[in-house]
Amino acid sequence: MTNEEIWQAVLGELELTISRASFTTWFKNTYLLTKNEGEFIISVPNGFAKEWLENKFQKEIAKCLQNVTSSRIKRITFCLNSKKDVLLKEKGRTMVFLQPKLNEEVQIIQEEEVVNEYNLNPRYTFENFIVGPNNELAHAAAQAIVQSPGKTYNPLFIYGGVGLGKTHLIQAIGNKVCQVFPKKRIVYISCEKFIEDFITYLQIQKSKDNGFKNKYRKTDYLLIDDIQFLAGKEGTQEEFFHTFNYLYQNNKQIVLTSDRPPKAILGLEDRLVSRFEGGMIADISMPNLETRRAILIAKCKERKVNIPENVLNYIAANIQNNIRELEGALSRLIARCQLNNLTPTEELARHILTNIAGRPNKKAITSRRILETVASFYNIKSEELITKNRKKEIAWPRQIAMYLMRDEIKTSYPTIGQEIGGRDHTTAIHAYEKVSKEIEKDINLRQEIDLIRQKLYTS
Ligand code: ADP
Ligand code: MG
């Protein structure tokens, strides 16, 4: 069977199981690009269809493919068909399936993002990064280092809460360098992957494989995302320290992102903290209403959809602290409208927002959640916060937890004392006053606590 015949047969089966509207919306202009030992690449016309096929129809597609080809389906990848020549290189968002038995639920065990040869997602560019007061410093610094790497700001350390654009910005640097200096070498990697790589390297070191060192040292740009995960990983920190120095001395550019400033990464060696602080530190904070609106407008343009201003305003006003969520709400609204042939209205947006699952509001924040969030932020166990341990690493987060219980959910002092291991209410008052005073003096602390707050509401 040719690819075309297979795909026609799959479409034939799919057509029977889903509604006509859905079928034409999502499967128009799709085709089977390649198949190879149970791995299938399906070409889709736009990002929107891609997202929907991945999220809503992958199981059906896998089942039909299995029926039609009578073969084991290992992997289905959806690729945008705009640039055919890069398609085969592009890994696409990949789903790996456990071998499905007939009529059995197909399970997703792994999902990866669309990437190019450098692991960069081509969707993250400077061109579609909206600049506002919350990120202008980070944005300007990122642009500057593309032009003069290794000189102006080295390392560039970008930090901020979840879903605020750190990964977008660090990958935009990589994508821009690829575009304007195609000869430069780039390594972009998540810190978790870096740690994994290092561990593998240790295991094979005896066979004298120095691929690891070469990979990270023979580069013009080393971009590491989510460097906070180095916390507590002493061996990897040691290796990273040497890699860092090597690159730094050779005027190679290093860019790091983190969910908090260097000093706040507990379990990070002092010498690394001071290296990180030796370059440029730029934070990304929550976008204001204007920026959120601008982001929504840009996303609509990108997707070529028209949504009335009042509806966008409604979404922008109601999703304040996470751009990923902001985008998610917009996607849901567009999908709802396209699937059911509806006009986007404020009413519909309201309906969609109230249905966003797991979106905690102020009322849903509990003392327990505060303890857990603070503990996870400082890399300690939440039980430690309610012990008598007076060590600074525990006592300080404990005071912050008490502060947040008071400030965020107006818990009474006696209850705070109770929650925090049966302490006296005066302890709670003292903690609240102390942290309040410190915040007045210390802008870094203020930002740190804002990050914890963000985590409270977003994770
Ligand atoms: P983080 O790494 O900080 O958690 P991401 O970079 O993954 O956040 O951003 C989350 C989503 O929001 C991404 O889809 C990204 O493209 C989008 N986004 C974030 N900031 C901006 C911005 N300033 N302009 C446009 N899109 C943005
Ligand atoms: Mg990220």
Side-chain angles (χ1 to χ4, degrees), residues 123-124 128-130 135 161-168 295 299 323-324 327:
R123 200 168 71 83
Y124 294 140
N128 62 12
F129 187 84
I130 304 296
N135 59 21
V162 183
L164 293 183
K166 302 181 296 294
T167 298
H168 188 135
I295 289 174
K299 304 275 170 194
I323 298 174
R324 190 173 299 127
E327 270 190 301

Side-chain angles (χ1 to χ4, degrees), residues 173-225:
I173 295 173
N175 280 320
K176 192 71 180 181
V177 173
C178 282
Q179 189 194 338
V180 291
F181 306 113
K183 294 223 171 81
K184 297 253 184 209
R185 289 158 304 184
I186 303 166
V187 172
Y188 165 77
I189 194 159
S190 69
C191 185
E192 286 149 306
K193 184 78 189 27
F194 179 80
I195 295 167
E196 226 175 75
D197 254 24
F198 176 64
I199 292 169
T200 315
Y201 159 71
L202 287 186
Q203 286 162 353
I204 57 169
Q205 196 179 20
K206 296 204 174 66
S207 61
K208 295 203 183 73
D209 183 315
N210 63 352
F212 178 86
K213 286 210 159 99
N214 273 341
K215 174 172 169 191
Y216 294 104
R217 293 187 186 189
K218 289 200 169 152
T219 184
D220 298 302
Y221 288 80
L222 177 62
L223 316 173
I224 303 191
D225 206 1

